Amino acid sequence: MSSVEEGDLVARVEGAAGVIRLNRPKAINAVTLEMFRDIDKALDRFEADPAVALIVLEGAGERGLCAGGDIRTLWESSKANGDLGKILWREEYILNARIKAFPKPYIAFMDGIVMGGGVGLSAHASHRIVTDRTKLAMPEVGLGFFPDVGGTYLLSRSPGEIGTYFGLTGQTMNGPDAIHAKFADAVVPAGKWPELREALTRVRPGASAVDVGKLINGFATGEAAGPVAAKEPIIDGLFGFDRMDDIFAALERDGSEFALATLKTLNEKSPRGMVVTLKLLRLARTASSLEECLVREYRAALEVFRSDDFREGVRAAVIDKDRSPIWSPPRIEDVTPQMLAPYLAEIGADELKFN
């Protein structure tokens, strides 16, 4: 076994596996710019090593794989008119695309909490394992943001309007619902992970993705739909619109317990964030690649970084924790096409580019 420990990230070879462990358990492994850079270096090393058959991504501690990005640091940079968003998101999104295209099997162990940036590191993997403890969410609209890290690509490929529902409400998926939404591939009970992990370290170099998939499926429960999947027909009827006003009107007309609870959830979110999210989700449906969606997300993210809504959303959720953001504008009907346009505009020399 060879080992390189780089502070908040552990990258080492265990048998045939290149193991990447997010190593900030007290912060539920929230990812920093340096961690993204260290993951990229680890992937360089593991890709070049013929003895490494596959990659295993996991999180330290019992609480989860990753609670997302280091939002507080981004908030501080945004308040100071800094450029951390521009730098961090560029490198993060390029890494997300690299993970999807990685030439060796990449296994993500999505146990416990998996949110935001953690989704970007795991849900583009070739083999995505959720557990009986998985709580996966993209709650960015509650921060005046939108589901990024390729979230618009993933959500737009969920069946029916399930992705629209999860993207706008930020609601949590359990393991089976994550499979139904196409964010994961297999439910493996957390108690079986040590045995499966050991088996993965013994996979022969050159093993195919199919071989690795069969190995994982030998430990899987076979579950493929959770409680939200059961509501898909209702969700399809309520969220099958291209304008937020129409979604709100449909929920109000329906008047069911589910519709009213959903309406209450949406009323807590950033109106501007919801409009931007819905537009990006609809554009993503016709995108030919993850990269196309990431380019669009990067444009929108830079606009978000400059916005009062992002600073206010983070303040209310993370800094002051009063859960009472004052959104600008405060109502869906006040979000104009002119407000939306900058989130979709080309950004010239700053465009996201992939090697």
Side-chain angles (χ1 to χ4, degrees):
M1 181 189 299
S2 67
S3 175
V4 177
E5 298 205 13
E6 300 174 359
D8 294 335
L9 192 90
V10 176
R12 65 187 178 200
V13 175
E14 294 185 34
V19 176
I20 296 173
R21 182 180 302 127
L22 309 179
N23 196 35
R24 297 183 69 207
K26 289 180 181 175
I28 319 180
N29 303 313
V31 207
T32 64
L33 176 58
E34 285 308 313
M35 289 169 74
F36 289 129
R37 290 174 173 171
D38 288 341
I39 292 167
D40 200 46
K41 289 175 195 167
L43 290 177
D44 285 343
R45 188 160 64 92
F46 296 151
E47 184 175 351
D49 186 345
V52 172
L54 49 81
I55 310 302
V56 170
L57 174 76
E58 61 187 9
E62 296 294 316
R63 297 166 70 194
L65 171 67
C66 176
D70 190 353
I71 291 291
R72 182 182 289 268
T73 307
L74 283 165
W75 177 80
E76 289 168 353
S77 179
S78 176
K79 281 195 72 177
N81 294 317
D83 60 358
L84 180 61
K86 185 175 178 179
I87 296 165
L88 183 143
W89 286 322
R90 178 189 291 129
E91 296 188 30
E92 181 181 14
Y93 295 0
I94 290 170
L95 179 60
N96 299 149
R98 181 180 187 182
I99 288 166
K100 182 168 176 58
F102 201 71
K104 295 180 180 182
Y106 181 117
I107 298 94
F109 182 55
M110 302 163 75
D111 186 36
I113 292 170
V114 186
M115 294 185 181
V119 173
L121 294 175
S122 59
H124 301 301
S126 60
H127 301 77
R128 305 165 299 176
I129 299 169
V130 283
T131 76
D132 48 317
R133 305 188 305 198
T134 295
K135 294 178 179 177
L136 189 153
M138 300 212 76
E140 289 81 2
V141 178
L143 298 175
F145 200 28
F146 61 88
D148 67 329
V149 297
T152 62
Y153 176 85
L154 292 161
L155 291 163
S156 68
R157 279 147 183 78
S158 299
E161 298 297 338
I162 286 283
T164 312
Y165 168 79
F166 279 124
L168 290 172
T169 63
Q171 293 290 83
T172 301
M173 309 177 200
N174 68 3
D177 268 332
I179 290 176
H180 183 72
K182 301 188 185 303
F183 274 68
D185 305 301
V187 177
V188 174
K192 288 190 174 182
W193 172 242
E195 187 183 351
L196 172 54
R197 189 183 185 283
E198 173 63 25
L200 290 168
T201 68
R202 298 196 304 268
V203 167
R204 59 177 175 78
S208 70
V210 173
D211 293 335
V212 174
K214 286 178 180 175
L215 172 59
I216 293 168
N217 287 336
F219 291 82
T221 65
E223 295 168 274
V228 177
K231 294 186 172 70
E232 191 177 319
I234 302 166
I235 288 170
D236 287 355
L238 296 171
F239 283 83
F241 303 95
D242 295 338
R243 295 171 65 247
M244 279 309 305
D245 308 63
D246 295 332
I247 291 173
F248 269 79
L251 289 164
E252 287 166 359
R253 272 196 312 272
D254 183 274
S256 65
E257 186 179 343
F258 172 75
L260 293 177
T262 302
L263 202 55
K264 182 176 184 295
T265 297
L266 292 179
N267 275 319
E268 296 167 356
K269 310 300 181 189
S270 158
R272 191 187 306 223
M274 285 188 283
V275 171
V276 170
T277 294
L278 185 59
K279 182 64 175 178
L280 290 173
L281 288 175
R282 294 301 182 248
L283 289 170
R285 282 186 169 169
T286 57
S288 60
S289 65
L290 169 62
E291 284 87 349
E292 184 181 332
C293 290
L294 287 167
V295 166
R296 205 176 279 125
E297 288 176 11
Y298 188 65
R299 293 170 183 168
L302 296 193
E303 188 63 26
V304 166
F305 195 65
R306 291 188 283 267
S307 75
D308 290 337
D309 260 18
F310 174 67
R311 289 187 284 271
E312 176 62 6
V314 176
R315 180 206 63 75
V318 179
I319 310 301
D320 298 337
K321 299 183 180 177
D322 59 24
R323 306 285 170 186
S324 300
I326 299 170
W327 301 119
S328 175
R331 302 181 307 164
I332 280 290
E333 52 266 39
D334 296 331
V335 182
T336 66
Q338 291 75 21
M339 289 178 189
L340 178 64
Y343 293 85
L344 308 173
E346 294 182 9
I347 52 176
D350 285 333
E351 291 285 12
L352 186 66
K353 297 181 179 67
F354 303 90
N355 295 332

